[in-house]
């Protein structure tokens, strides 16, 4: 019997603060019309100081679990795709796992820049389809505003903060993630990077002074690469699924630049109406952009039960990829799960575990051999 990985819950976390093109125009030498014409972006959301990719990711995950009616304790795996992790380590996924109370789950981060959500969705799908796990939470979470050089007009106009999460569950009913394409070309790594603070260039006073801990991008080259790969990856995924292009109801692309999406539409010879576009509101939220767009398409009725859809992304690495999905609804449940209660329990559990570790440390600290 074949096992399928269905998307049965979804949620987003969008920071309240909105940064407009008009506001950015007071910070760098640009103007709102240029930004809209060259990118399609009008506003982006900026995380509150107390928020991180982990807090936004946890908020989106809880909404997704509530919709799927899945208690956090039933989650087997949390994968977080992020380009702006809360820390180098621990993994942002582990922070989310603790915060949502997924006490029986493994957790890891996946780094593939903006393509990360596609790769993470595929990883979770393969683990479900091979029978190793039953339930996964796949998160795309970003606070890229912390990595943006707010004096660089070439990049600061582009990025925004936010998170999106899907719950994936095993089922014998055909549907969910059907096929995938995953690609990388590391020879283009220097086109889009954060040069400092990794092991190649540890953070020093000098790297900070030179702004090497900020995003550096060759926009023109990334643009050319993106327009090449979006259509091709979509076609490959559709072919692998043994679908025809005309069966696809809607394509949900990574939201980096409206002109890149328009180029993909031309490449596929599809009307632009076939594409989800919300880059105007959120800017480029990297790994979060595809789940945020998908949730918005469900909410406005453009993505419905049994629709065939393609999720397609590209990003630093260089990386690119696509998945085909037959969209379903949450599985029917006997009773509804009270996520607030589970989260309350998770907080107490986490607190008690920290206290217990402290006490254990004190006892063992005294007993430890010299
Ligand atoms: N306002 C006004 N002028 C600007 C601005 C700005 N904000 N930014 C650049 N310019 C100027 C440039 O200096 C240049 O001037 P010059 O000709 O005198 O040198 C001119 O505008 C044209 O510059 P280009 O870089 O050719 O502008 P382009 O039309 O390519 O638009 C942009 C720039 C929007 C960055 C575009 O290249 C783009 O979207 N690239 C893709 C970026 C992307 O998708 N990145 C994310 C990848 S996903 C991930 O992994 C995070």
């Amino acid at each position: 019997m074949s096992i399928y990985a269905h998307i049965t819950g979804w949620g987003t976390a969008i920071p309240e603060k909105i940064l407009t093109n008009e506001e950015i125009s007071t910070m760098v030498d640009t103007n709102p019309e240029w930004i809209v014409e060259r990118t399609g972006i009008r506003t982006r959301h900026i995380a509150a100081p107390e928020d991180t990719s982990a807090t936004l990711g946890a908020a989106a995950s809880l909404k997704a679990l509530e919709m799927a009616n899945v208690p956090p304790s039933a989650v087997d795996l949390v994968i977080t795709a992020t380009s702006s992790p809360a820390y180098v380590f621990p993994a942002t996924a582990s922070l989310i796992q603790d915060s949502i109370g997924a006490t029986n789950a493994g957790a890891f981060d996946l780094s593939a820049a903006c393509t990360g959500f596609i790769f993470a969705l595929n990883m979770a799908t393969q683990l479900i389809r091979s029978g190793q796990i039953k339930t996964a939470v796949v998160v795309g979470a970003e606070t890229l505003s912390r990595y943006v050089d707010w004096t660089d007009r070439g990049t600061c106009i582009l990025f925004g903060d936010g998170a999106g999460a899907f719950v994936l569950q095993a089922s014998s009913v055909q549907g969910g993630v059907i096929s995938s394409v995953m690609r990388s070309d590391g020879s283009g790594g220097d086109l889009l990077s954060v040069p400092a603070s990794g092991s190649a260039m540890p953070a020093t006073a000098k790297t900070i002074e030179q702004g090497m801990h900020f995003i550096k991008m060759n926009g023109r080259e990334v643009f050319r690469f993106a327009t090449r790969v979006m259509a091709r990856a979509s076609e490959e995924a559709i072919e692998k699924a043994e679908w025809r292009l005309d069966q696809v109801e809607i394509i949900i692309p990574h939201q980096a630049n409206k002109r890149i999406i328009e180029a993909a539409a031309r490449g596929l010879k599809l009307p632009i109406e076939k594409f989800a576009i919300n880059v105007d509101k959120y800017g480029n939220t990297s790994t979060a952009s595809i789940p945020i767009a998908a949730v918005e398409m469900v909410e406005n009725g453009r993505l419905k039960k049994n629709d065939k859809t393609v999720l397609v992304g590209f990003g630093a690495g260089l990386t690119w990829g696509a998945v085909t999905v037959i969209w379903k609804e949450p599985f029917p449940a006997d009773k509804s799960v009270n996520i607030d209660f589970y989260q309350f329990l998770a907080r107490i559990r986490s607190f008690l575990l920290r206290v217990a570790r402290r006490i254990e440390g004190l006892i063992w600290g005294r007993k430890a051999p010299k």
Side-chain angles (χ1 to χ4, degrees):
M1 184 187 68
S2 295
I3 306 173
Y4 293 90
H6 286 249
I7 299 164
T8 58
W10 45 88
T12 62
I14 310 290
E16 256 174 50
K17 182 180 160 49
I18 293 175
L19 182 66
T20 64
N21 289 350
E22 286 71 16
E23 287 169 285
I24 291 189
S25 302
T26 67
M27 296 154 58
V28 289
D29 179 17
T30 188
N31 61 77
E33 295 73 34
W34 191 96
I35 302 173
V36 173
E37 188 198 312
R38 306 308 290 164
T39 69
I41 299 167
R42 290 176 188 277
T43 56
R44 67 288 291 144
H45 291 245
I46 304 295
E50 65 275 19
D51 271 323
T52 67
S53 299
T55 62
L56 294 176
S61 303
L62 286 169
K63 286 186 198 162
L65 286 167
E66 188 163 27
M67 169 175 280
N69 226 353
V70 168
S73 55
V75 174
D76 299 310
L77 181 64
V78 179
I79 310 180
T80 301
T82 180
S83 313
S84 47
Y87 304 101
V88 172
F89 55 80
T92 298
S94 290
L95 303 179
I96 294 173
Q97 168 271 316
D98 177 57
S99 174
I100 66 177
T103 47
N104 297 309
F108 65 90
D109 284 358
L110 190 152
S111 170
C114 306
T115 321
F117 192 81
I118 299 287
F119 288 8
L121 204 52
N122 188 33
M123 289 296 99
T125 297
Q126 299 315 320
L127 287 167
I128 288 174
R129 295 199 68 166
S130 65
Q132 298 201 43
I133 63 169
K134 285 195 164 63
T135 303
V137 176
V138 178
V139 190
E142 301 293 357
T143 39
L144 274 173
S145 62
R146 312 263 160 90
Y147 290 80
V148 163
D149 178 352
W150 291 101
T151 65
D152 175 11
R153 68 176 184 173
T155 52
C156 75
I157 57 167
L158 298 174
F159 298 101
D161 300 334
F166 286 175
V167 171
L168 267 72
Q169 286 183 273
S171 165
S172 58
V173 176
Q174 198 192 17
V177 180
I178 301 298
S179 69
S180 68
V181 169
M182 300 201 297
R183 296 277 192 283
S184 175
D185 173 8
S187 71
D190 57 335
L191 296 178
L192 179 52
S193 67
V194 176
S197 70
S199 58
M201 195 189 286
T204 62
K206 196 170 169 207
T207 64
I208 290 171
E209 193 192 323
Q210 293 172 337
M212 300 303 273
H213 55 301
F214 292 133
I215 297 169
K216 306 284 178 211
M217 183 179 73
N218 180 334
R220 223 171 277 185
E221 284 298 319
V222 174
F223 189 95
R224 282 196 356 204
F225 145 73
T227 54
R228 268 201 315 273
V229 297
M230 293 276 270
R232 205 190 309 152
S234 304
E235 279 171 338
E236 275 182 46
I238 289 168
E239 196 180 314
K240 274 189 175 180
E242 300 182 356
W243 297 353
R244 293 187 320 272
L245 186 56
D246 63 8
Q247 293 176 309
V248 175
E249 211 58 49
I250 184 165
I251 296 185
I252 301 174
H254 170 45
Q255 307 285 314
N257 184 322
K258 189 162 180 252
R259 284 160 57 221
I260 293 174
I261 300 174
E262 287 165 350
R266 284 195 298 276
L268 289 167
K269 298 187 178 62
L270 286 175
I272 193 69
E273 292 71 34
K274 278 270 179 188
F275 289 75
I277 302 180
N278 65 1
V279 69
D280 51 323
K281 284 190 273 183
Y282 306 111
N284 180 347
T285 56
S286 190
T287 59
S289 88
I290 289 174
I292 290 174
V295 171
E296 202 165 290
M297 293 307 113
V298 176
E299 285 171 354
N300 67 22
R302 284 191 59 201
L303 178 56
K304 302 175 294 299
K305 189 179 172 190
N306 293 329
D307 277 355
K308 290 184 165 77
T309 179
V310 178
L311 315 184
V312 55
F314 67 90
L318 300 167
T319 55
W320 64 102
V323 291
T324 58
V325 177
I326 301 176
W327 198 261
K328 295 285 182 187
E329 287 173 344
F331 292 157
D334 299 338
K335 55 179 182 177
S336 75
V337 167
N338 185 338
I339 289 292
D340 289 342
F341 175 66
Y342 277 101
Q343 228 227 330
F344 172 71
L345 285 185
R347 288 219 180 105
I348 293 182
R349 181 180 182 277
S350 185
F351 172 75
L352 291 176
L353 281 174
R354 279 167 218 258
V355 171
R357 251 192 308 272
R358 184 72 62 85
I359 294 168
E360 201 180 35
L362 286 174
I363 295 167
W364 276 98
R366 277 204 208 108
K367 282 191 184 165
K370 292 260 166 3

